[in-house]
Amino acid sequence: MKGLKLASLDEKGRSQVKVGPVTFGEGFIIIAGPCSVESKEQMMETARSVKAAGADMLRGGAFKPRSSPYEFQGLGLDGLKILRHASNETGLPIVTEVVDPRDVIMVCEHADMLQIGTRNMNNFALLKEVGKTDKPVLLKRGMYATIEEWLNSAEYVLNEGSPGVVLCERGIKTHETYTRNTLDLSAVPAVRELSRLPIITDPSHGTGRASLIEPMCLASVASGADGIIVEVHAHPEDALSDRDQAIDPKQFSEIVGKVRSLREFMGKGSMKR
Amino acid sequence: MKGLKLASLDEKGRSQVKVGPVTFGEGFIIIAGPCSVESKEQMMETARSVKAAGADMLRGGAFKPRSSPYEFQGLGLDGLKILRHASNETGLPIVTEVVDPRDVIMVCEHADMLQIGTRNMNNFALLKEVGKTDKPVLLKRGMYATIEEWLNSAEYVLNEGSPGVVLCERGIKTHETYTRNTLDLSAVPAVRELSRLPIITDPSHGTGRASLIEPMCLASVASGADGIIVEVHAHPEDALSDRDQAIDPKQFSEIVGKVRSLREFMGKGSMKR
Amino acid sequence: MKGLKLASLDEKGRSQVKVGPVTFGEGFIIIAGPCSVESKEQMMETARSVKAAGADMLRGGAFKPRSSPYEFQGLGLDGLKILRHASNETGLPIVTEVVDPRDVIMVCEHADMLQIGTRNMNNFALLKEVGKTDKPVLLKRGMYATIEEWLNSAEYVLNEGSPGVVLCERGIKTHETYTRNTLDLSAVPAVRELSRLPIITDPSHGTGRASLIEPMCLASVASGADGIIVEVHAHPEDALSDRDQAIDPKQFSEIVGKVRSLREFMGKGSMKR
Amino acid sequence: MKGLKLASLDEKGRSQVKVGPVTFGEGFIIIAGPCSVESKEQMMETARSVKAAGADMLRGGAFKPRSSPYEFQGLGLDGLKILRHASNETGLPIVTEVVDPRDVIMVCEHADMLQIGTRNMNNFALLKEVGKTDKPVLLKRGMYATIEEWLNSAEYVLNEGSPGVVLCERGIKTHETYTRNTLDLSAVPAVRELSRLPIITDPSHGTGRASLIEPMCLASVASGADGIIVEVHAHPEDALSDRDQAIDPKQFSEIVGKVRSLREFMGKGSMKR
């Protein structure tokens, strides 16, 4: 694919990306947590419950890119500290979004993995900056990006010496309105035939509807994804953002069970690719 | 959902649609065959091989809607006769597309199920005409249709007294160019929470790439689909249309094996919905 | 452009299409009338007022393609008779939509020009049928069609011996929601460099907002269009369909004045192309 | 419109934005220059010729956001110095893009107006940073942004105390492929009924084809735009980027003549809005 060097699939084989005890590209990685860090209590409660349910890693937003300057923009540094605390207590590494190149160093001090959100996939200044750090990067697909543009954005990060990039299909904008975005699961096998990078999916943003998350998690496993990232909120009805797509710890726990079971089945006998 | 009466999910429960020995909405139905009927030999060879591989039903186009009047438009009535012959010999029922309300009676004489193609999902005169027959209808999603528009098109068919409609997600047009369309698998659980109608997927048109068909078939099963329709050509390299997305009987046979196995797994124990 | 023969721009020069006293491709043609024919009174009142305001031709729908079978589908044959009556009284030729190949002969008996609506641009059976008549065709662009697909649909009509096709840019579907569609004015000069066919625009459907119609009519003139088609209702607040985009006869009269004036200016001196 | 305070149209009336001798929102402003600053000679030659042709302001890119890290990224600071020099010699103010919040101060030292490019319309960190300076901002519409999102991005800039924002419609991504983007001219009157901010159009990026620029410039005037920005290259065939859409100084000069003439006509007598 045009422009790809470091992200392309070649004789070096598939890339593995390590984040503390977690290795993307090896098993099936489940990341969970709230959309935004809202308070220490909310984050800790959710962190404990997703850990209990079997999550491998925590997520949570401290910096939230919002369409209007008058909407909640996240807790910032306070949010990062809460995330660090949640990680330390649960032992799960954390991934969190960074939106400004000037914040990268600060975020690195608290996070284990840096997330580039969908609105920043083409923010090349930011891509270069996260690529210079020793933290691996979770690169969400731009909601209007082609797979080619997305892989080229990964190339920007890798070209700066980054220890690794994990791609995240999070849904693209289409004419459909019933779902918030359209989760493009064909991107999973497409990326796997074009690139050496691990790829996970985000059924929460990809559908925007709690009721569709479980089937899309299972379909992600069947499509060959290396993991999922799911929005879980201890009390979805109270969430400050993305309320319609948040599931509670009990629903999450059921999904984890089915996902692990399906993944095991997919790796056995004649199902193995 | 707005405008839905006969297609909506209500106390009557899920709809089952019978096509000869096949029942959509009961097991997992696999339809296979070439894009176009090109000759008796090609169709018979493909029909025998997909039957041997475990297909439940045959597909093949006798009337092809093409962007240019100067492109191959299908064999017409001769194609229908070939399809009938292939069905009689294999015992597999056939589904084929009808594109003109004036052809509906003729197509009914040869086919077991009438297909409304993606370009005709909004051809209301045609929808009404197929709805008046005693043949069930396979209604493909318009490549630019929302789920709401699609279900309303089903309503047009059912409102004329049709014995049944099966929906087929065949990919929607998006900005992505690596795939021919974007197979919207979230439409499967979405349709299932909105409508009583069975839904299958078309990973061949949905991706336009032979290499992506197997993972998308498996993901369709995991998403809860009631079946798949796959383009199989005895000699893909010679196909007159849709060459890039056709698979050969051997590849199809492997897919059938994995799909059946996965479907069985999905119906067992804790995986059951 | 791929597939074009009869519609392409070549040494034969620009096509002129005659509809009674009106010649598309010569002056600037203004078509006006209601979305749907609702009653004789409504149609006659609107017809007289748009004639007085300076329209060249009448429009009105007798067959309405609607997403739901339970919505108003038009008056059918009664609507056609009302349109004929309005044409006879005002002396303005009429254009009206046909949606079913089996209705083409009937519509030809009452209309001076046949309209193919946006949902039927790919209805090849219908395109062929209207192409066989002695009535010229107004071919609206599919709301998801590329210019190449649109011109190939014109080719379908012309290939049957049609006396002429006029293209109508009526807005394409995009992510924008403030307007109902996005009127693609660059299609006007694009079509003019690719094709010999006249092209007009439909700022009413193109924007879906009465307040935007005047500026888009003027921009259409400046872009080089051969005419416009505008939805006018004697009493927009009572319209059975497309209420938000209908203007009243007084607003229409002002637009005609400005449009004629601008067109004259564009044809003079250094502005001439 | 949701979220708008400072950018909304209210009793304070339309905003005027001053950039040196130029006032957006008063006359019709023509900005011209190359896509990228390639060398001092190229920039000076183009600057002199567009000045002679009647441009009001210069444009040129020193920082180029490109999909691949291996493509030409612009001359950076050297480019800014060349732009300053061209401005000083011609007396025309310059606008140039800034892509990194850390570069804002440096760019302010050389430019008269800061451009936010289409890929950065949602780069809120950058929007806030340019809003803190004393330079007015040219805010291009995101190629996938709705008008509402665009005006909210303007709100981000204005909320920081910016002296002014000028909006630039530069084409949105659609399914059409003949043009590079689809120039949404209905956005001009739409923005004028929603917002107090001046709005110009970019027919070069909007169409991506040199042959379509003149008609789209004229249509922009007729739609009510406050100006245009046009890519002009002294030798388009040698341009390092955007070659297909660059016009030469002679073509530009003809466009300026027609645009000024049309604008004058639109402001007179019955045409006046």
Side-chain angles (χ1 to χ4, degrees), chain A residues 87-103:
Chain A
S87 173
N88 291 346
E89 197 188 292
T90 58
L92 302 181
I94 63 155
V95 58
T96 196
E97 184 169 358
V98 56
V99 297
D100 187 328
R102 297 166 298 184
D103 293 341

Side-chain angles (χ1 to χ4, degrees), chain C residues 1 141-149 172-179 181-191 193-194 206-207 209 211-212 214-216 218-220 222-224 257-259 261-262 265-266 270-273, chain D residues 1 141-149 172-179 181-191 193-194 206-207 209 211-212 214-216 218-220 222-224 257-259 261-262 265-266 270-273:
Chain C
M1 181 154 267
R141 181 179 183 180
M143 58 184 92
Y144 290 105
T146 62
I147 291 170
E148 183 174 329
E149 291 163 340
I172 54 176
K173 282 283 172 195
T174 68
H175 61 269
E176 181 54 62
T177 52
Y178 185 72
T179 46
N181 295 285
T182 297
L183 190 68
D184 177 11
L185 283 187
S186 61
V188 173
V191 160
E193 70 186 22
L194 293 168
T207 64
R209 286 184 175 263
S211 62
L212 303 180
E214 182 182 305
M216 286 301 98
L218 297 172
S220 296
S223 73
K258 292 188 182 181
V259 160
S261 173
L262 176 58
F265 176 77
M266 295 293 296
S270 64
M271 294 303 292
K272 219 168 162 179
R273 294 208 84 190
Chain D
M1 180 154 268
R141 181 179 182 179
M143 58 184 93
Y144 290 106
T146 62
I147 292 171
E148 181 174 331
E149 291 163 341
I172 54 175
K173 282 283 174 195
T174 68
H175 61 269
E176 181 55 62
T177 52
Y178 185 73
T179 46
N181 295 286
T182 296
L183 190 68
D184 177 11
L185 282 188
S186 61
V188 173
V191 160
E193 69 186 24
L194 293 168
T207 65
R209 286 184 175 263
S211 62
L212 302 180
E214 181 183 304
M216 287 301 98
L218 296 173
S220 296
S223 73
K258 292 187 182 183
V259 159
S261 174
L262 177 58
F265 175 78
M266 294 294 296
S270 64
M271 295 304 293
K272 220 168 162 179
R273 293 208 85 188

Side-chain angles (χ1 to χ4, degrees), chain C:
Chain C
M1 181 154 267
K2 207 182 134 207
L4 291 198
K5 295 181 188 173
L6 303 166
S8 66
L9 185 62
D10 57 20
E11 68 287 348
K12 290 190 300 292
R14 301 214 161 274
S15 178
Q16 291 199 341
V17 179
K18 284 186 187 303
V19 185
V22 165
T23 305
F24 288 89
E26 211 175 53
F28 188 85
I29 307 304
I30 301 177
I31 310 175
C35 177
S36 309
V37 182
E38 296 166 5
S39 70
K40 195 166 179 179
E41 294 64 39
Q42 166 249 17
M43 188 64 214
M44 293 310 300
E45 184 180 358
T46 303
R48 281 182 211 117
S49 65
V50 300
K51 157 106 178 180
D56 299 299
M57 212 168 143
L58 288 179
R59 60 154 289 163
F63 298 97
K64 304 301 302 175
R66 304 298 293 272
S67 324
S68 164
Y70 310 120
E71 290 176 294
F72 174 58
Q73 311 262 322
L75 296 182
L77 180 55
D78 287 345
L80 293 176
K81 289 177 180 168
I82 293 171
L83 284 168
R84 185 70 263 147
H85 185 80
S87 173
N88 289 346
E89 198 188 291
T90 57
L92 302 181
I94 63 157
V95 58
T96 196
E97 183 169 359
V98 55
V99 298
D100 187 329
R102 298 166 300 183
D103 294 341
V104 169
I105 291 172
M106 177 176 70
V107 177
C108 282
E109 283 168 15
H110 299 87
D112 302 296
M113 187 179 207
L114 305 177
Q115 179 179 308
I116 298 294
T118 187
R119 283 177 185 76
N120 283 310
M121 197 206 79
N122 278 327
N123 185 340
F124 304 119
L126 184 62
L127 294 174
K128 288 178 190 169
E129 204 61 26
V130 297
K132 288 174 187 156
T133 74
D134 63 352
K135 303 291 182 191
V137 172
L138 182 65
L139 179 61
K140 291 205 154 187
R141 181 179 183 180
M143 58 184 92
Y144 290 105
T146 62
I147 291 170
E148 183 174 329
E149 291 163 340
W150 187 21
L151 293 175
N152 271 285
S153 286
E155 195 77 22
Y156 262 102
V157 178
L158 293 169
N159 192 39
E160 300 292 332
S162 170
V165 171
V166 174
L167 300 164
C168 178
E169 161 60 37
R170 52 77 71 200
I172 54 176
K173 282 283 172 195
T174 68
H175 61 269
E176 181 54 62
T177 52
Y178 185 72
T179 46
R180 183 174 174 186
N181 295 285
T182 297
L183 190 68
D184 177 11
L185 283 187
S186 61
V188 173
V191 160
R192 290 178 67 88
E193 70 186 22
L194 293 168
S195 170
R196 54 198 306 262
L197 304 180
I199 177 167
I200 69 171
T201 70
D202 178 346
S204 303
H205 286 90
T207 64
R209 286 184 175 263
S211 62
L212 303 180
I213 293 175
E214 182 182 305
M216 286 301 98
C217 285
L218 297 172
S220 296
V221 175
S223 73
D226 296 298
I228 47 174
I229 181 166
V230 180
E231 277 190 16
V232 180
H233 195 286
H235 307 285
E237 66 285 3
D238 299 332
L240 292 185
S241 49
D242 288 351
R243 203 171 307 170
D244 294 344
Q245 71 197 40
I247 56 175
D248 66 27
K250 191 168 165 297
Q251 293 167 305
F252 176 64
S253 179
E254 279 173 36
I255 289 174
V256 173
K258 292 188 182 181
V259 160
R260 297 280 187 219
S261 173
L262 176 58
R263 172 72 179 200
E264 197 194 336
F265 176 77
M266 295 293 296
K268 283 193 303 197
S270 64
M271 294 303 292
K272 219 168 162 179
R273 294 208 84 190

Side-chain angles (χ1 to χ4, degrees), chain B residues 155-168:
Chain B
E155 195 76 24
Y156 262 102
V157 178
L158 294 169
N159 192 38
E160 300 293 331
S162 171
V165 171
V166 173
L167 300 165
C168 179

Side-chain angles (χ1 to χ4, degrees), chain A residues 1 141-149 172-179 181-191 193-194 206-207 209 211-212 214-216 218-220 222-224 257-259 261-262 265-266 270-273, chain B residues 1 141-149 172-179 181-191 193-194 206-207 209 211-212 214-216 218-220 222-224 257-259 261-262 265-266 270-273:
Chain A
M1 181 152 267
R141 182 179 183 180
M143 59 183 91
Y144 290 105
T146 62
I147 291 170
E148 182 174 330
E149 291 163 341
I172 55 176
K173 282 282 174 195
T174 68
H175 60 270
E176 181 54 62
T177 52
Y178 186 72
T179 46
N181 296 285
T182 296
L183 190 69
D184 178 11
L185 283 188
S186 61
V188 173
V191 160
E193 69 187 23
L194 294 168
T207 64
R209 285 182 175 265
S211 62
L212 303 180
E214 180 182 306
M216 287 300 98
L218 296 172
S220 296
S223 74
K258 292 187 183 184
V259 160
S261 174
L262 177 57
F265 176 77
M266 295 293 296
S270 65
M271 295 303 292
K272 219 168 164 180
R273 293 207 85 190
Chain B
M1 180 154 269
R141 181 179 182 180
M143 57 184 92
Y144 290 106
T146 62
I147 292 170
E148 181 173 331
E149 291 162 342
I172 55 175
K173 282 282 173 195
T174 69
H175 62 268
E176 181 54 62
T177 52
Y178 186 72
T179 47
N181 295 285
T182 296
L183 190 68
D184 178 11
L185 283 188
S186 61
V188 173
V191 160
E193 70 187 22
L194 294 168
T207 64
R209 286 184 175 264
S211 62
L212 303 180
E214 181 181 306
M216 287 301 98
L218 296 173
S220 296
S223 73
K258 291 188 183 182
V259 159
S261 174
L262 177 57
F265 176 77
M266 294 294 295
S270 65
M271 294 304 291
K272 218 169 166 179
R273 291 208 84 189

Side-chain angles (χ1 to χ4, degrees), chain D residues 89-186:
Chain D
E89 199 189 290
T90 58
L92 303 181
I94 64 156
V95 57
T96 197
E97 183 169 359
V98 57
V99 298
D100 187 328
R102 296 165 300 183
D103 293 341
V104 169
I105 291 171
M106 176 176 70
V107 177
C108 282
E109 282 167 16
H110 298 88
D112 302 296
M113 187 179 208
L114 305 177
Q115 179 180 309
I116 298 295
T118 186
R119 283 175 185 77
N120 283 310
M121 197 206 81
N122 277 327
N123 185 339
F124 304 120
L126 184 61
L127 293 175
K128 288 179 190 168
E129 203 62 25
V130 297
K132 286 175 189 155
T133 74
D134 62 352
K135 303 289 181 191
V137 172
L138 182 64
L139 178 61
K140 290 207 154 188
R141 181 179 182 179
M143 58 184 93
Y144 290 106
T146 62
I147 292 171
E148 181 174 331
E149 291 163 341
W150 188 18
L151 293 175
N152 272 286
S153 285
E155 195 76 23
Y156 262 102
V157 178
L158 294 169
N159 192 38
E160 300 292 332
S162 171
V165 171
V166 174
L167 300 164
C168 179
E169 160 61 36
R170 52 79 69 202
I172 54 175
K173 282 283 174 195
T174 68
H175 61 269
E176 181 55 62
T177 52
Y178 185 73
T179 46
R180 184 174 174 184
N181 295 286
T182 296
L183 190 68
D184 177 11
L185 282 188
S186 61

Side-chain angles (χ1 to χ4, degrees), chain B residues 62-261:
Chain B
F63 298 96
K64 303 300 302 175
R66 303 299 292 271
S67 324
S68 163
Y70 310 121
E71 291 176 294
F72 175 58
Q73 311 262 321
L75 296 182
L77 180 55
D78 287 344
L80 293 176
K81 289 176 181 169
I82 294 171
L83 285 168
R84 185 70 263 147
H85 185 81
S87 174
N88 291 345
E89 200 189 291
T90 57
L92 302 182
I94 64 156
V95 58
T96 196
E97 183 170 359
V98 56
V99 298
D100 188 328
R102 296 165 302 182
D103 293 341
V104 169
I105 292 172
M106 177 175 69
V107 178
C108 283
E109 283 167 15
H110 299 86
D112 301 297
M113 186 180 209
L114 305 176
Q115 179 179 310
I116 298 294
T118 186
R119 285 176 184 77
N120 283 309
M121 196 206 80
N122 278 326
N123 185 340
F124 304 120
L126 184 62
L127 294 175
K128 288 177 189 168
E129 204 62 25
V130 298
K132 287 173 187 156
T133 74
D134 62 352
K135 304 289 181 192
V137 173
L138 182 64
L139 178 62
K140 290 205 154 187
R141 181 179 182 180
M143 57 184 92
Y144 290 106
T146 62
I147 292 170
E148 181 173 331
E149 291 162 342
W150 188 20
L151 293 175
N152 272 284
S153 286
E155 195 76 24
Y156 262 102
V157 178
L158 294 169
N159 192 38
E160 300 293 331
S162 171
V165 171
V166 173
L167 300 165
C168 179
E169 161 60 37
R170 52 78 69 201
I172 55 175
K173 282 282 173 195
T174 69
H175 62 268
E176 181 54 62
T177 52
Y178 186 72
T179 47
R180 185 174 174 183
N181 295 285
T182 296
L183 190 68
D184 178 11
L185 283 188
S186 61
V188 173
V191 160
R192 290 178 67 88
E193 70 187 22
L194 294 168
S195 170
R196 55 198 306 261
L197 304 181
I199 176 166
I200 68 171
T201 70
D202 179 346
S204 303
H205 286 90
T207 64
R209 286 184 175 264
S211 62
L212 303 180
I213 292 176
E214 181 181 306
M216 287 301 98
C217 285
L218 296 173
S220 296
V221 175
S223 73
D226 296 298
I228 48 174
I229 180 166
V230 181
E231 277 190 16
V232 180
H233 194 285
H235 308 285
E237 65 286 2
D238 299 331
L240 292 186
S241 49
D242 288 351
R243 203 171 307 169
D244 294 345
Q245 71 197 41
I247 56 175
D248 65 27
K250 192 170 164 293
Q251 293 168 305
F252 176 65
S253 178
E254 279 173 36
I255 289 174
V256 172
K258 291 188 183 182
V259 159
R260 298 280 187 219
S261 174

